[in-house]
Amino acid sequence: MSTAKVAAVAQGIGSDEVAVLADFSQAFATTLDVNQTVRQAVEQIAAHMNAEAAALFLIDGSKGELVCRACFGPVDVTGLRVPKGRGIVGRAIKQNKVQLVQNVETDADHAGDVGGFVTRSILCAPLTSGEGAIGALQVLNKRGGELFNDHDRDILRLLAVPTTLALSNARLAEDLMEQERIRREFQLARQMQKDLLPKREKDCPVVGINLPAREISGDFYDHFTLPDGRVAFCVGDVSGKGMDAALLMVRASSLLRWAGKEGTPPDLWLKRVNDEICTTVTGGRFVCVLAGYYDPISGVLEWSNGGLPPLLLRKPDGSFQQIIADGPPLGILPGIDYPSNRAFLGDGSAYIFSDGATDVRAGESETIGIEGFQELIDAVVELSPRARLRGLVSQLRRMQLADDTTLMLVEENGEEAQYLGGISICCDAECLRLVRKTVDRQLTALTVPTEVRQRVVLAIDEATANVIRHAYQGDPGGRMSLDIWRRGDAVEFVLRDWAKAVDAEAIKPRDLNQCRPGGLGVNLIDMVMDEWGFEKPEQGQGNVLRMVKRLQFNSAAKVASVAA
Amino acid sequence: MAQENGCTTTEESGFQVVMVQGEVDLSWSQKLRKAILDALGKSQPVAVDLSKVSYIDSSGIAALVEGFQSARGKGQHFSLVAVSQPVIAVLELARLDRVFPIFPSLEQAAQS
């Protein structure tokens, strides 16, 4: 009703009506329970209009059926359904006009009575919001045998206005609440998915990150340490997005953890999970999975790939190697075999990722692909593993991320070193024996093969002898210390002295083709060690010689070193 | 079983045989050097028996190299015999395994 019309109607009404209208509006404006307010309103309307009964109908669902939502009178017709366009109430909505029927017997549209109530006259006003008709408000049988008149019609029209408003607001509120409920459900689902991701572990060589394109993700990753010291890992990508993909993701990740606990070879691991998923997955859903183990002692990665992008190996020299050897995604064909791969990781890094990482677009161009992803890696390569993954994610976010994205990085943590032992000696060649013994004992504990052990012992002996002979020049008051660290697959020897600083530039291996008695020590160190060099001491004078030997540990070594 | 470090020189089948044992390092490699040079002073073929050497470092190798070069200058026989595995490993590492005349035994050195 327009403001002008309301004003026109209002001219004809008395102070009683104004009071009722004010009460109505007030009640609707302050209510928290619209259903209850509507019930009270219907009762008040019936009382005020001196009617035997009153009812509120609302259009329900797409069929346009009317449902009685509240009523007052001798017969409860709440829930009564009237087909679209039927009855006087239907006509009021169809014509969007108040219907005043003083004798229903003469009106062909009257739908009939319910529960023994005899309808004589009907006054029915449509409820119309900005989006069209939402229902109708009707009063039946004016008490005392009187008939509804034009004044009553205006009053009902007037009362229909706040009722409509209240109902519209209530619907809006309901929609909002429903949206809020769904949002909360998604939040819970997302939280549950997050809970399924592995907890952050200190010093773990495997780190992962998951970036959902929507609230919930079809991607997942997991890693856990086996009793033999190997770290099991997997990255998965469920086809599709949304709740169904999320539920399959939950199932797939649980199955993978369950089947990987025993350290089953990766090919059998995937085969087992594939067979299990195939028994339950329907509707063309499938899961791409890459799963495997990393052995921190041997530095070897072994894995199988079921449909995920190839594992990307970044070698210490900065070159990349894509290892493509895979089987089909899981959940498509039971009983199939998966190929397995092995690679020596050493000081390199392995990147495992879902296709979300390569299917991003930089501007309008094609997707960046694996080569583009390699460039992103190069841009963050200086960062620590976890910071690197975060850096990759923020680079991907800047592009048009279309899919869930999961990244995993397997890398020996270069910052964490394990102290194995050490020795302090005085500047006396007699002490060399002790140095050799100390080194030999540590390397034996790491089950380093005899030949390698002998060479390393020799190199350390040479370095120590050089300090005695050259740095201290035999000064019996000199002292030095040797500390031995394990850093991933490397053993680090730090030889510290407090002699006059040596000219590090002058200490170089000589040409071995010249057969002469002296100066062989540096050659031996250079040949045996993978890296060596002088560093400035943190405090005081002297020299720090750091020597690094990378070793191919066998998997029993960790146990042995703990036992030692 | 750890052996006492040291060397003794004996005459055997016309050879000056320097028998070395233990771990040869900076602490006594000068003694070995002197023993070898003394043996070379006898104008007989010299064989250094390294069968009982469990360790040798570059200072010990240097003593051997010096003896070898001194003998070569004088046209004197100088060989290493019964070289233990740890010594061979170091000679290989220093690429000296093909420089020294090496024989499995004194007899074979004598036949050469």
Side-chain angles (χ1 to χ4, degrees):
Chain A
M1 204 176 336
S2 72
T3 320
K5 276 183 184 169
V6 173
V9 170
Q11 275 183 348
I13 62 174
S15 59
D16 277 5
E17 282 82 23
V18 174
V20 169
L21 198 58
D23 287 349
F24 248 62
S25 304
Q26 180 70 26
F28 281 133
T30 55
T31 188
L32 290 172
D33 181 352
V34 173
N35 286 332
Q36 197 197 346
T37 314
V38 164
R39 275 196 300 276
Q40 287 172 354
V42 168
E43 191 179 337
Q44 280 181 320
I45 289 168
H48 184 75
M49 302 200 66
N50 207 17
E52 288 175 13
L56 175 89
F57 286 85
L58 290 179
I59 297 171
D60 184 58
S62 56
K63 285 190 208 158
E65 219 179 13
L66 288 165
V67 181
C68 177
R69 279 297 173 85
C71 72
F72 169 78
V75 179
D76 186 357
V77 292
T78 307
L80 177 74
R81 300 184 89 87
V82 179
K84 183 182 180 180
R86 294 281 300 278
I88 291 160
V89 66
R91 194 171 74 204
I93 290 170
K94 200 174 165 186
Q95 295 180 2
N96 192 22
K97 202 175 154 193
V98 180
Q99 304 294 314
L100 173 55
V101 180
Q102 302 203 328
N103 182 2
V104 294
E105 282 178 15
T106 62
D107 194 314
D109 283 337
H110 178 50
D113 290 325
V114 181
F117 183 85
V118 180
T119 310
R120 297 190 307 275
S121 59
I122 293 181
L123 181 60
C124 183
L127 303 173
T128 310
S129 75
E131 287 163 5
I134 62 164
L137 188 58
Q138 71 173 10
V139 288
L140 309 172
N141 298 355
K142 199 156 181 179
R143 287 184 197 272
E146 286 184 46
L147 295 174
F148 292 117
N149 55 29
D150 287 349
H151 180 70
D152 294 325
R153 179 169 57 195
D154 289 341
I155 297 294
L156 195 63
R157 276 176 67 191
L158 209 57
L159 293 178
V161 176
T163 310
T164 306
L165 264 171
L167 288 168
S168 294
N169 288 345
R171 282 202 167 176
L172 237 122
E174 265 177 29
D175 283 355
L176 279 174
M177 273 163 66
E178 180 66 6
Q179 278 176 25
E180 176 60 21
R181 190 184 64 79
I182 292 172
R183 202 181 62 82
R184 269 207 309 272
E185 299 271 303
F186 272 89
Q187 256 182 356
L188 281 174
R190 172 72 190 136
Q191 189 54 49
M192 190 183 152
Q193 286 198 316
K194 274 189 180 168
D195 290 345
L196 285 175
L197 297 177
K199 301 276 171 295
R200 186 177 167 165
E201 268 180 78
K202 199 172 175 284
D203 300 345
C204 184
V206 180
V207 290
I209 198 164
N210 171 242
L211 184 68
R214 300 188 191 170
E215 289 96 334
I216 49 172
S217 177
D219 277 12
F220 60 93
Y221 70 89
D222 198 2
H223 58 76
F224 45 91
T225 306
L226 299 177
D228 63 8
R230 287 185 298 162
V231 183
F233 59 85
C234 60
V235 172
D237 179 0
V238 175
S239 62
K241 299 183 194 71
M243 199 52 106
D244 50 347
L247 289 174
L248 180 53
M249 168 257 159
V250 170
R251 175 157 171 75
S253 68
S254 312
L255 277 173
L256 278 160
R257 184 169 261 252
W258 164 74
K261 279 281 184 204
E262 292 160 26
T264 319
D267 51 340
L268 292 177
W269 184 6
L270 282 199
K271 186 181 166 72
R272 207 178 202 188
V273 175
N274 176 49
D275 289 350
E276 194 66 32
I277 288 182
C278 279
T279 61
T280 48
V281 167
T282 52
R285 291 243 166 269
F286 56 85
V287 193
C288 298
V289 176
L290 190 152
Y293 306 98
Y294 169 63
D295 186 346
I297 296 164
S298 65
V300 169
L301 268 178
E302 51 173 341
W303 75 95
S304 281
N305 190 351
L308 217 68
L311 183 141
L312 197 56
L313 215 55
R314 190 180 192 276
K315 299 182 175 172
D317 66 3
S319 65
F320 283 97
Q321 186 188 357
Q322 290 176 31
I323 302 177
I324 307 167
D326 61 358
L330 281 64
I332 295 175
L333 200 61
I336 50 165
D337 293 319
Y338 287 86
S340 65
N341 307 280
R342 275 172 78 85
F344 178 64
L345 185 66
D347 281 348
S349 317
Y351 292 85
I352 303 157
F353 43 94
S354 62
D355 58 6
T358 51
D359 288 356
V360 293
R361 285 168 203 283
E364 294 298 306
S365 60
E366 304 244 303
T367 56
I368 64 166
I370 290 181
E371 287 70 25
F373 186 58
Q374 289 176 2
E375 286 174 23
L376 298 187
I377 291 172
D378 282 334
V380 292
V381 79
E382 297 297 324
L383 301 174
S384 75
R386 207 167 284 278
R388 206 176 318 150
L389 289 191
R390 282 197 298 266
L392 284 172
V393 160
S394 62
Q395 289 189 81
L396 290 170
R397 270 210 180 107
R398 263 180 251 134
M399 296 185 228
Q400 294 168 31
L401 195 65
D403 200 354
D404 299 330
T405 304
T406 300
L407 311 175
M408 181 176 271
L409 171 57
V410 186
E411 184 179 293
E412 215 27 91
N413 194 337
E415 290 153 23
E416 302 299 329
Q418 179 194 358
Y419 186 67
L420 298 179
I423 184 173
S424 278
I425 57 164
C426 55
C427 180
D428 183 348
E430 291 293 338
C431 295
L432 288 171
R433 202 189 181 112
L434 281 174
V435 171
R436 292 199 296 272
K437 220 174 190 170
T438 304
V439 174
D440 189 72
R441 201 172 52 229
Q442 293 302 339
L443 295 179
T444 304
L446 292 171
T447 68
V448 175
T450 311
E451 199 181 311
V452 180
R453 208 169 68 221
Q454 285 177 348
R455 286 174 165 220
V456 175
V457 167
L458 174 69
I460 302 301
D461 177 282
E462 294 296 340
T464 316
N466 277 348
V467 174
I468 294 172
R469 248 195 320 190
H470 302 300
Y472 281 119
Q473 301 191 335
D475 171 11
R479 60 196 174 91
M480 60 189 98
S481 68
L482 175 74
D483 290 301
I484 308 169
W485 300 81
R486 164 93 184 267
R487 209 182 279 272
D489 67 346
V491 180
E492 235 179 70
F493 301 89
V494 182
L495 184 63
R496 169 86 163 98
D497 67 59
W498 285 263
K500 220 177 109 189
V502 297
D503 179 7
E505 286 299 304
I507 299 173
K508 283 178 187 156
R510 70 166 169 85
D511 181 3
L512 277 185
N513 292 321
Q514 302 169 353
C515 182
R516 57 181 171 93
L520 196 59
V522 177
N523 282 80
L524 293 175
I525 297 168
D526 191 59
M527 277 186 290
V528 170
M529 293 297 174
D530 292 293
E531 289 167 38
W532 65 275
F534 287 94
E535 293 175 3
K536 265 202 151 75
E538 280 176 25
Q539 284 179 328
Q541 60 163 26
N543 304 285
V544 175
L545 175 63
R546 186 184 298 276
M547 293 162 281
V548 180
K549 178 67 180 170
R550 269 187 278 283
L551 299 164
Q552 296 248 5
F553 293 111
N554 68 45
S555 53
K558 193 161 196 170
V559 181
S561 95
V562 168
Chain B
M1 196 68 196
Q3 292 175 21
E4 190 104 358
N5 293 333
C7 53
T8 48
T9 305
T10 52
E11 195 181 328
E12 208 175 312
S13 320
F15 271 75
Q16 287 289 317
V17 178
V18 182
M19 173 59 102
V20 192
Q21 68 170 33
E23 300 180 17
V24 184
D25 67 11
L26 187 62
S27 65
W28 68 280
S29 54
Q30 283 304 312
K31 282 184 198 159
L32 173 63
R33 175 179 174 269
K34 189 167 182 302
I36 289 172
L37 295 178
D38 286 352
L40 283 165
K42 299 266 168 67
S43 302
Q44 275 180 306
V46 172
V48 182
D49 186 319
L50 297 165
S51 62
K52 290 181 179 169
V53 176
S54 58
Y55 176 81
I56 190 163
D57 73 359
S58 69
S59 67
I61 297 289
L64 298 179
V65 170
E66 202 178 337
F68 168 68
Q69 287 178 326
S70 169
R72 199 172 54 172
K74 296 190 280 183
Q76 199 173 359
H77 174 97
F78 180 88
S79 63
L80 309 181
V81 299
V83 183
S84 67
Q85 181 275 329
V87 178
I88 281 285
V90 179
L91 290 176
E92 283 174 357
L93 199 59
R95 294 192 221 151
L96 291 168
D97 53 323
R98 304 227 173 134
V99 172
F100 289 110
I102 297 174
F103 298 99
S105 64
L106 183 62
E107 290 69 42
Q108 274 153 302
Q111 282 164 22
S112 71

